[in-house]
């Protein structure tokens, strides 16, 4: 079975060619899927009956179901738990900002990166998400926004999973949602976040897509970083910073560094100074994230004044830094809290 959300337009043109159909049919199908938000092939009334019949036999549209939808009472954040027929589940989150609506997409079911503060990695990585399955995640939010005539304006690949460990599907997803006949989401409004897989960063630098790169740093020396993020043993800071440098040179873009503050672990003023020194030569922005509570993880949050002091120290040293606003914490939709929770439902 073909999954229609899993095709770039030119790939759909190729498929349709094998059916003897002209290429404008692909544009029509894109318009049905992404602009009219059709969920069934039978709705695509400007396709020939013969084509519709063939697609009915050989292709699917929606493959996921929403098992649960939670809405934050605090800030309107919506978290969906989606399920697929092979019984895997992932979460996706819609965040409402004054500047627009952003969706956080999961790129893998679970994660194998093993970061010690994150819930997504607790059960390991179950399987990859396909591009089409990522598209479906986004569409659940978009359909909800359709009720109020709003649109998804930005996308972050920051849900469960490591996007650079699923590079091709992640890029395909970006191409599909960027298509002008489709959702037309600008690449500059798309952010990919990585734990620091160096080959992925280099590949992205060479690849020319003007998306934003976020790198999860969380510590500015190898000993500390390796204790929080096992990936640091494979790609220590020196290698990671070289790759970041290459990315900035090659693309002329700045990098967004994420730094989750964990009480007593990485939140001293000395840590702030090491961080400032580490990224001194890189055009960048630091996003400080007060670490979010994960029941299985044993750590505390940095007190508010210490967060402010950390921020001030960074700024004093010339670092561009802000504190990331927490969203959806009452529904466990915040950074690092996404998990497949289906087991608790049955
Ligand atoms: N694997 C990618 C993207 C998913 S995680 C990455 O690591 O970047 C998105 C962000 O949430 C990452 O910066 C991650 O380190 C951070 N995060 C994970 N657990 C967290 C927690 N408990 N509190 C705050 N941020 C967390």
């Amino acid at each position: 079975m073909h999954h229609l959300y899993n095709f770039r337009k030119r790939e759909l043109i190729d498929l349709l060619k094998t059916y003897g159909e002209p290429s404008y049919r692909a544009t029509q199908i894109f318009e049905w899927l992404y602009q009219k938000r059709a969920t069934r092939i039978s709705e695509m009334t400007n396709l020939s009956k013969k084509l519709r019949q063939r697609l009915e036999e050989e292709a699917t549209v929606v493959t996921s179901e929403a098992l649960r939808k939670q809405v934050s009472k605090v800030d309107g954040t919506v978290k969906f738990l989606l399920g697929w027929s092979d019984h895997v589940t992932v979460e996706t989150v819609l965040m409402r900002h004054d500047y627009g609506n952003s969706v956080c997409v999961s790129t893998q079911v679970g994660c194998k990166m093993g970061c010690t503060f994150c819930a997504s990695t607790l059960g390991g990585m179950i399987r990859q998400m396909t591009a089409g399955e990522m598209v479906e995640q986004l569409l659940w939010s978009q359909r909800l926004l359709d009720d109020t005539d709003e649109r998804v304006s930005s996308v972050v690949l920051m849900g469960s999973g490591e996007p650079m460990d699923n590079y091709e599907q992640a890029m395909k997803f970006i191409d599909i949602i960027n298509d002008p006949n489709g959702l037309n989401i600008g690449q500059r409004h798309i952010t990919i976040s990585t734990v620091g897989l160096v080959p992925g960063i280099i590949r992205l630098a060479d690849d020319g897509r003007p998306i934003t790169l976020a790198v999860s740093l969380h510590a500015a020396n190898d000993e500390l970083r390796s204790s929080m993020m096992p990936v640091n043993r494979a790609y220590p800071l020196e290698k990671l910073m070289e790759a970041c440098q290459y990315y900035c040179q090659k693309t002329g873009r700045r990098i967004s560094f994420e730094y989750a503050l964990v009480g007593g672990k990485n939140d001293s003023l000395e840590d702030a100074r090491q961080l400032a020194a580490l990224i001194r030569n890189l055009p960048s922005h630091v996003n400080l994230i007060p670490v979010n509570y994960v029941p299985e993880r044993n750590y505390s949050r940095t007190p508010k004044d210490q967060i402010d002091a950390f921020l001030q120290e960074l700024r004093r040293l010339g670092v561009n830094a802000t504190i990331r606003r927490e969203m959806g914490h009452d529904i466990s939709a915040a950074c690092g809290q996404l998990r497949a929770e289906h087991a608790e439902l049955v």
Side-chain angles (χ1 to χ4, degrees), residues 37-234:
R37 255 77 91 182
T39 55
R40 287 187 307 268
I41 289 157
S42 58
E43 290 172 58
M44 304 181 182
T45 46
N46 59 359
L47 306 183
S48 68
K49 206 164 165 199
K50 184 169 132 261
L51 176 57
R52 261 180 287 155
Q53 254 167 9
R54 179 115 191 231
L55 288 174
E56 296 269 17
E57 282 161 24
E58 297 182 16
T60 55
V61 186
V62 179
T63 60
S64 57
E65 60 177 316
L67 300 173
R68 187 162 64 177
K69 186 182 103 191
Q70 289 170 277
V71 183
S72 165
K73 293 193 177 62
V74 185
D75 53 29
T77 297
V78 184
K79 182 170 82 167
F80 293 92
L81 175 71
L82 305 180
W84 273 270
S85 61
D86 61 351
H87 303 294
V88 300
T89 59
V90 300
E91 292 175 310
T92 177
V93 176
L94 165 63
M95 291 162 283
R96 331 284 305 246
H97 308 277
D98 2 313
Y99 56 82
N101 298 300
S102 75
V103 169
C104 180
V105 169
S106 292
T107 55
Q108 298 178 321
V109 185
C111 184
K112 62 176 182 220
M113 294 299 139
C115 300
T116 56
F117 44 85
C118 182
S120 301
T121 199
L122 287 165
M125 203 262 271
I126 315 291
R127 75 160 168 85
Q128 304 280 14
M129 283 269 101
T130 64
E133 289 168 334
M134 296 180 219
V135 172
E136 285 200 33
Q137 293 178 47
L138 192 158
L139 283 170
W140 281 102
S141 288
Q142 182 55 63
R143 287 200 192 92
L144 188 72
L145 291 171
D146 284 341
D147 294 345
T148 45
D149 267 334
E150 292 174 86
R151 69 184 288 263
V152 173
S153 48
S154 60
V155 175
V156 295
L157 282 78
M158 289 192 187
S160 69
E162 168 52 41
M164 296 295 192
D165 186 39
N166 191 10
Y167 191 92
E168 261 144 49
Q169 295 299 311
M171 293 305 140
K172 186 180 192 184
F173 163 66
I174 290 168
D175 292 344
I176 294 168
I177 63 172
N178 178 240
D179 194 292
N181 294 123
L183 292 159
N184 197 17
I185 297 174
Q187 295 205 45
R188 285 173 200 281
H189 302 279
I190 301 172
T191 300
I192 186 166
S193 180
T194 179
V195 78
L197 291 182
V198 164
I201 295 173
I202 292 169
R203 194 166 170 191
L204 186 66
D206 290 337
D207 176 287
R209 287 183 177 79
I211 58 177
T212 301
L213 173 66
V215 174
S216 299
L217 204 51
H218 306 319
N221 68 69
D222 279 321
E223 194 188 342
L224 184 57
R225 193 163 190 270
S226 295
S227 77
M228 299 170 73
M229 306 175 73
V231 70
N232 194 67
R233 294 190 203 114

Side-chain angles (χ1 to χ4, degrees), residues 23-42:
S23 55
Y24 69 85
R25 292 291 190 209
T27 305
Q28 290 177 324
I29 293 174
F30 256 61
E31 287 169 355
W32 281 110
L33 292 175
Y34 301 116
Q35 294 179 359
K36 300 178 197 146
R37 255 77 91 182
T39 55
R40 287 187 307 268
I41 289 157
S42 58

Side-chain angles (χ1 to χ4, degrees), residues 79 116-120 122 260-262 289-302 326 328-339 341:
K79 182 170 82 167
T116 56
F117 44 85
C118 182
S120 301
L122 287 165
L261 289 158
V262 183
I289 317 169
V291 77
N292 289 304
Y293 179 67
V294 173
E296 294 84 349
R297 304 304 208 184
N298 184 26
Y299 49 70
S300 59
R301 302 189 85 182
T302 301
E326 278 180 81
H329 68 86
D330 58 329
I331 54 168
S332 293
C335 304
Q337 296 186 312
L338 300 191
R339 63 176 77 223
E341 264 186 337

